[in-house]
Amino acid sequence: ISMEFRKLSKVYQDVISDICHKMGVGMAEFLEKKVDSQHEWDKYCHYVAGLVGIGLSRLFSASELEDSIVGQDTDLANSMGLFLQKTNIIRDYLEDQMEGREFWPREVWSRYAKKLSDLAKPENIDAAVQCLNELITNALHHVPDVLTYLSRLKNQSVFNFCAIPQVMAIATLAACYNNQQVFKGVVKIRKGQAVTLMMDATNIQAVKAIMYQYVEEIYQKIPSTDPSCHKTQQAIAAIRAASLPGGPMASRHHYSPIYLSCAMLLAALSWQYLSTLSKATEEYVQAGDN
């Protein structure tokens, strides 16, 4: 790693050094404490994923594959990471519980149970699903930022790299919403569904259509008795507005189908890498707690 790092131009070295330093300091902070408030949930997700989005965005701009605004707008880049990380944390509730990890914010789950582990008990399933729905609603607030970020990208390979994990995430949240299975086993999108998303998410209008499709799926499942139902409806209304036709459409370079296939494969591998990295980070933090 050191040898490869030294081969990079200084502009890239500076970005990587800065992001790795901030990430290390941030993760060390959470060795000493658990995620308590929703603000701390955002903060933890920023350290382990938002900074990845910010660092990659700065690299995209430094390479001149993308305009400088992509690297400068750290709020949008942070939202890209937070949306993915929150989706992973929400989906992985049961696996994390079995491994002794806790990343759901106490501020939210404490309104539904005395202990986070209590949500997995059959007698608490109704409260557990309500807690789940509230956290998914929280994550949905990042989608308008995600769409704005993606609309600024011009390079096709960069777009695919960034867009595919995001559409996978919204599909995962749609599968998890109001779903008791989150507390009983593993909830994953089907392989065929994942392939279709990879093939389709190649331009901003297609991504908007995909986001619209899945938030409509969530909307149809909102229970009228759910404590977060109005907030969920408001979040979906904001996504609908951002997904309407006529939004910003960035110009695209044209590449051969073979190149696009390679780019999508890279994005899929990157999604797997980030998921694995996230899990490894969580295990490291838990090891520190122990």
Side-chain angles (χ1 to χ4, degrees):
I1 294 174
S2 179
M3 288 174 62
E4 293 300 323
F5 179 79
R6 284 170 169 74
K7 294 177 184 177
L8 299 174
S9 300
K10 187 176 185 301
V11 65
Y12 302 134
Q13 291 184 2
D14 290 345
V15 172
I16 294 170
S17 297
D18 180 51
I19 293 300
C20 287
H21 172 72
K22 290 176 179 176
M23 185 177 292
V25 171
M27 289 194 292
E29 178 182 334
F30 279 90
L31 286 171
E32 303 296 328
K33 64 182 181 182
K34 292 185 177 180
V35 178
D36 189 22
S37 66
Q38 293 184 69
H39 172 73
E40 286 186 340
W41 198 36
D42 283 356
K43 194 175 183 181
Y44 171 77
C45 292
H46 165 73
Y47 287 143
V48 301
L51 284 171
V52 176
I54 292 170
L56 286 171
S57 299
R58 288 169 60 185
L59 292 175
F60 296 153
S61 294
S63 66
E64 298 186 351
L65 291 174
E66 299 296 344
D67 292 338
S68 58
I69 186 63
V70 172
Q72 293 169 356
D73 196 333
T74 55
D75 287 342
L76 292 188
N78 188 58
S79 284
M80 292 282 285
L82 262 60
F83 186 58
L84 299 183
Q85 185 66 20
K86 287 182 178 181
T87 298
N88 286 340
I89 289 173
I90 291 168
R91 178 199 61 199
D92 293 340
Y93 165 83
L94 191 61
E95 179 182 337
D96 285 341
Q97 280 294 302
M98 293 174 66
E99 297 294 332
R101 299 185 296 259
E102 293 190 358
F103 296 105
W104 283 25
R106 178 186 294 271
E107 179 184 343
V108 175
W109 65 254
S110 63
R111 293 198 291 268
Y112 301 92
K114 292 183 178 179
K115 296 187 297 183
L116 182 56
S117 59
D118 288 345
L119 295 179
K121 297 178 179 179
E123 63 269 24
N124 297 328
I125 192 62
D126 291 340
V129 170
Q130 291 175 354
C131 182
L132 168 71
N133 291 347
E134 182 173 344
L135 290 181
I136 290 176
T137 299
N138 178 296
L140 289 176
H141 284 96
H142 297 294
V143 174
D145 278 357
V146 167
L147 293 174
T148 301
Y149 180 96
L150 293 174
S151 71
R152 291 175 173 174
L153 302 180
K154 297 179 178 180
N155 181 277
Q156 185 70 61
S157 61
V158 171
F159 184 88
N160 291 350
F161 177 86
C162 295
I164 290 174
Q166 301 294 331
V167 296
M168 296 284 192
I170 192 66
T172 299
L173 290 183
C176 289
Y177 184 81
N178 209 47
N179 188 351
Q180 297 182 3
Q181 188 61 28
V182 172
F183 303 95
K184 300 176 181 179
V186 180
V187 176
K188 290 184 178 180
I189 59 177
R190 302 183 308 276
K191 290 183 179 179
Q193 185 181 4
V195 171
T196 299
L197 289 170
M198 289 173 59
M199 297 298 293
D200 289 349
T202 57
N203 63 73
I204 186 60
Q205 298 301 353
V207 170
K208 286 182 176 181
I210 292 168
M211 291 289 189
Y212 191 96
Q213 170 193 337
Y214 283 109
V215 296
E216 287 302 305
E217 184 177 313
I218 293 173
Y219 185 82
Q220 295 302 320
K221 295 193 291 185
I222 299 175
S224 59
T225 56
D226 190 272
S228 303
C229 67
H230 295 303
K231 290 183 179 180
T232 309
Q233 291 167 350
Q234 290 172 357
I236 288 176
I239 297 171
R240 284 171 173 165
S243 302
L244 291 175
M249 176 63 180
S251 61
R252 299 270 179 265
H253 298 298
H254 297 284
Y255 296 96
S256 69
I258 292 177
Y259 183 91
L260 290 177
S261 297
C262 291
M264 285 186 282
L265 176 60
L266 172 63
L269 292 172
S270 300
W271 166 259
Q272 182 62 42
Y273 166 76
L274 288 173
S275 297
T276 303
L277 179 62
S278 172
K279 186 169 294 186
T281 299
E282 292 165 0
E283 290 175 352
Y284 183 80
V285 172
Q286 183 61 33
D289 289 339
N290 293 335

